[in-house]
Every structure is written in structure tokens, then in C-alpha cells.
Amino acid sequence: MDGTETRQRRPEELGLLHGLSTGRLPEASEDGLLSVPESQRVAPKPLGPELSRETTLSIGLQVTVPFLFAGLGLSGAGILLNYFQHWPVFTEVKDLLTLVPPLVGLKGNLEMTLASRLSTAANTGQIDGPREQHRVISSNLALIQVQAAVMGLLAAVAALLLGAASGQELDAAEAEVLCASSVITAFLAACALGTLMVCIVIGARKLGVNPDNIATPIAASLGDLITLSILAFVSSFFHKHRDSRYLTPLVCIGFTALTPLCILIAKQNPPVVKILKFGWFPIVLAMLVSSFGGLILNKTISKQQFRGMAVFAPIICGVGGNLVAIQTSRISTYLHLWSTPGVLPLWMKKRWPNPRSTFCSSEINSTSARVLLFLVVPGHLIFFSIIYLVEGQSVPNDKTFVGLYLLAGLVQVTILLYLAEATVRLTWNRALDPDDHCIPYLTGLGDLLGTSLLALCFLAHWLLRSETALDGTPEPASGPS
């Protein structure tokens, strides 16, 4: 049997808490494959000290605080969206609401992907030296600026096309406002969040904390707030000055002119050059998937039976994207440390893993999946309580709605965590980097799943209330859960 095909036993079997042990044969793997004798074994790469010492408690402690902090940001984003939807620019430029999920979702496509790449680089010691650190960071920041400018324009075009396909009239002035607002928002948000991610990853590395556990939640916590705020104010500015013939084209040209400079900086790092050439498909596809979620939001948000949906949409989409990004980043780091691209460890050979092994085994990735899944219900209850305290009776708050809402969140995250395990295995088996290819797909799918399940939640709640009213039975008591 080929040496690269039979690399290692599970980290748990190797006793990483006390160093890598040798001299005994491993047991059969979950997939029924037996390992080979020590004489034929390729020496495994030791896991990083932070990863090898992680337990359920340590993962929970590291993830919970950033997750709750992220939830506060997502709650704030929901409240802001509920407020912004009544601004003249949002009521008159209808496609602007369609733009919200894909544009806000860029934090999953770009900033969370950046955080995952930097976390992997930090855990594998690639940015420990100051010279290498500067090269890796500057090239990655330049990369996301290029991606943000292009994706901002594509998101606006997708919103316009979806609007036209659904029967909305296309106005040239509104199209200019939409495109200019999208490009500038994406560019400025990527700059702010990218810089923040760099600081967090470097700081976590110095403090001995696994950046996989904290970088993506913090990106989620501030990403929605920053992106929504920039979009609202920038689009309002352009909407007020929409009669100025040359304003929006000049501003777009000015920001676009920075793109060649960013490309030159990005070319310092060969892995980044590869992403710049071949890494567009995942983020473009993720943006298109998110755009369909935006179309659902646009078509439902103004209807009576969906009253309050604007508040909850950023939360349910953000929580799902946040948790799946953490899991994807962790599995990617695990594979970078434990294997080589194109070769899966023996215990991860199945392309479509058994859901039982994803959530119920003793492996570190299964442990983290359980921790993340456990956070869904208490997290949503906390965020729901915050929304209720701020918005009061303007949002549904009876027990039936809370139950449906929690069920929607749990279903969304369960599906995403399973798909994270499956897609990381698939991309790694094809010698692709999961940091760059999986997170965009999964966060985009999280937006679509979250928006769809939330719309079903509101619709089911409205139908149940209507049926209750027809039967003449008293409605469930209202109040915060």
C-alpha cells in the first residue's frame, strides 16, 4: 500500500496530549480500513499544541464569548435593517433590499475566508516571522479588496436582473445608485473588516488562543453592522444626488482605479495569486445563492404576515453562517496539520460521512460540531430576548412563533454543519483548499436556508393564528420567552 495513502492513525489514538507515541498497531478505522505496520507508515505531522489540547470545555469557552458578541452585532444589524427599510432610498429603490443578503454575505465570502486562511497560517506557523507575516498579510488584504470591488458590482447586477425577472421596471438612475452603492460598500467594508481580522488572528496567536474559534465570530459580529450602515448612508447620499450626472460614474471609476494596485500587491504571494486566478467561482456562486435569499426578503418584507422578518433575517442568516464558518475553518486546519492536499486520512475516507460520525463520535471535529449545535437554541433565545426588549410588540413573540423560530435555526445549523464536513472532505480530496472554497458556498447556502426557513416560520405562524382566530379559541399568551 502506498505510503502517502496510509498516513496516520487518529490523533486521539496517538496520544497527542503526551506527545506522539509509536510501537503499537492501530485499531480498524470507522470506514473499516485497517492501518499498516509502523515500518510502512509515513511520519505524521504533529498537531499544533493548542489544537491537540482542546476539549469540549475549552472549545465551548473559546467559542461562546465571541459567539454571543457576534449575536449582539447580528441583533443590532436586524434592528438597523428594520429601521433602514423605511428610509426613502430603500422604499424607492426596491432592488436595494435584494442586495442586502449578498452584500452582507460578502463577510462570509471574503472576510471569513480571510480569517480562516490566516488562522490556518497562524496554526501552522506560517506567519511567525515578521517578514513572512508582512508578505502574507499584505497580499491577503489586497486580494480581498480586489474581490470586494468585483463582487460588489456583480451583486448589484444580480439584484437588478432578479428584480427585472420578477416584473420590476428597470430605471437607469436607480441602477447607477445601486451599482455605485454596492461597489463602495463592499470595498470599504472589506478594508475595515480585513484589517480587524488581521489584528484578531495575530493577537489570538500571541495569547495562545486558537484563532479558528474566535476570528470568524467577531467578523460576523461587526460585519453586518458595518456593511449595513455603510450601505444605508452611501446609498442615501447617491439617492439624494441622483440628478448629478457624473457623480456616481466618477466615484466608481476612482475606486476601480485602485484595483490594479491591489493586484500588484497580491502578486507577492504565490498562493494568493492562485486564488486571484482560480478562486472566483466559489464566491460568485455563493453571491448568486445569497441573491435568491435577498429576493425572498424583498418579496416578503412588506407583507403583513411577514411583519418583523427584517429584524430576524440578519440574525438567523448570521448565526448559521457564523457557526458553519467556525467548523469549516477548524476542519481545514485539522487537515492542513494532519494530511496533505489530495490525501484524506483513513478515518475520513468517506466522501459523504455518516451523520452519526459527524455529531456523535469522539473525534475532535465531532466534538466541536456538538458544541456549536448546542449553542443554537440558547443563543437564539438570548438574541430573541434582545430583539423583544428593543422592538416590543412590533415583532411576533408568542410561544408558537418562538418554537417555530428555534426549530428553523436548529434545522439550518444541523444541515450546514453536516455539509461542512462533507464539502471539506470533497474539496480536500480534490487537492483544493477548504478555506477558500467551502466557506463561501456554506455561508451563501446559510443565507438562502436561513431566509427560506424564516419565511416559512412566519407563514406557518400566520396560518396557525388565522386558524385559531377562525376556531374562536384564545391565542397563546404573548411575552418574551
Side-chain angles (χ1 to χ4, degrees), residues 134-150:
H134 177 268
R135 185 177 66 85
V136 170
I137 289 173
S138 61
S139 59
N140 274 280
L141 287 177
L143 169 67
I144 66 165
Q145 293 305 129
V146 176
Q147 291 176 324
V150 175

Side-chain angles (χ1 to χ4, degrees), residues 129-362:
R131 193 171 182 178
E132 187 66 14
Q133 184 182 98
H134 177 268
R135 185 177 66 85
V136 170
I137 289 173
S138 61
S139 59
N140 274 280
L141 287 177
L143 169 67
I144 66 165
Q145 293 305 129
V146 176
Q147 291 176 324
V150 175
M151 296 307 300
L153 181 60
L154 290 179
V157 172
L160 289 169
L161 292 176
L162 286 173
S166 62
Q168 289 179 199
E169 293 184 3
L170 186 62
D171 181 83
E174 290 184 0
E176 285 184 3
V177 170
L178 199 70
C179 291
S181 302
S182 182
V183 171
I184 294 171
T185 299
F187 196 93
L188 295 178
C191 182
L193 292 170
T195 304
L196 180 64
M197 287 303 96
V198 169
C199 297
I200 291 168
V201 170
I202 293 175
R205 180 69 174 170
K206 289 183 177 178
L207 293 173
V209 177
N210 187 351
D212 281 325
N213 293 335
I214 64 171
T216 50
I218 295 177
S221 67
L222 297 177
D224 288 5
L225 280 173
I226 292 172
T227 306
L228 271 177
S229 301
I230 294 174
L231 177 63
F233 287 106
V234 168
S235 60
S236 293
F237 173 79
F238 284 126
H239 187 252
K240 288 178 183 177
H241 298 87
R242 60 186 180 277
D243 295 330
S244 300
R245 179 77 177 170
Y246 301 106
L247 178 62
T248 50
L250 285 175
V251 172
C252 286
I253 290 171
F255 275 88
T256 306
L258 296 174
T259 303
L261 176 62
C262 293
I263 292 174
L264 289 175
I265 297 173
K267 284 186 174 180
Q268 299 177 62
N269 194 350
V272 169
V273 174
K274 186 177 179 181
I275 299 170
L276 196 58
K277 290 180 178 178
F278 308 110
W280 292 97
F281 183 75
I283 59 177
V284 171
L285 183 59
M287 180 271 296
L288 292 174
V289 172
S290 293
S291 295
F292 283 101
L295 185 63
I296 294 172
L297 183 65
N298 192 11
K299 296 300 180 182
T300 56
I301 201 170
S302 59
K303 296 181 180 178
Q304 181 61 29
Q305 58 264 46
F306 298 98
R307 183 174 64 91
M309 186 169 167
V311 183
F312 294 106
I315 299 174
I316 195 168
C317 293
V319 167
N322 182 0
L323 295 179
V324 76
I326 294 174
Q327 182 70 352
T328 305
S329 182
R330 290 180 58 85
I331 300 173
S332 176
T333 298
Y334 178 91
L335 287 173
H336 275 94
L337 290 166
W338 197 247
S339 188
T340 55
V343 181
L344 283 166
L346 291 178
W347 53 93
M348 295 179 72
K349 276 296 180 185
K350 286 184 179 179
R351 292 187 181 180
W352 291 99
N354 190 319
R356 183 176 173 275
S357 67
T358 301
F359 295 102
C360 303
S361 73
S362 60

Side-chain angles (χ1 to χ4, degrees), residues 377-409:
V377 171
H380 272 304
L381 283 175
I382 293 171
F383 309 147
F384 186 93
S385 299
I386 294 170
I387 293 296
Y388 178 78
L389 289 173
V390 175
E391 297 292 334
Q393 299 297 323
S394 65
V395 295
N397 51 70
D398 55 81
K399 292 180 180 178
T400 303
F401 176 79
V402 173
L404 289 170
Y405 176 70
L406 293 178
L407 179 62

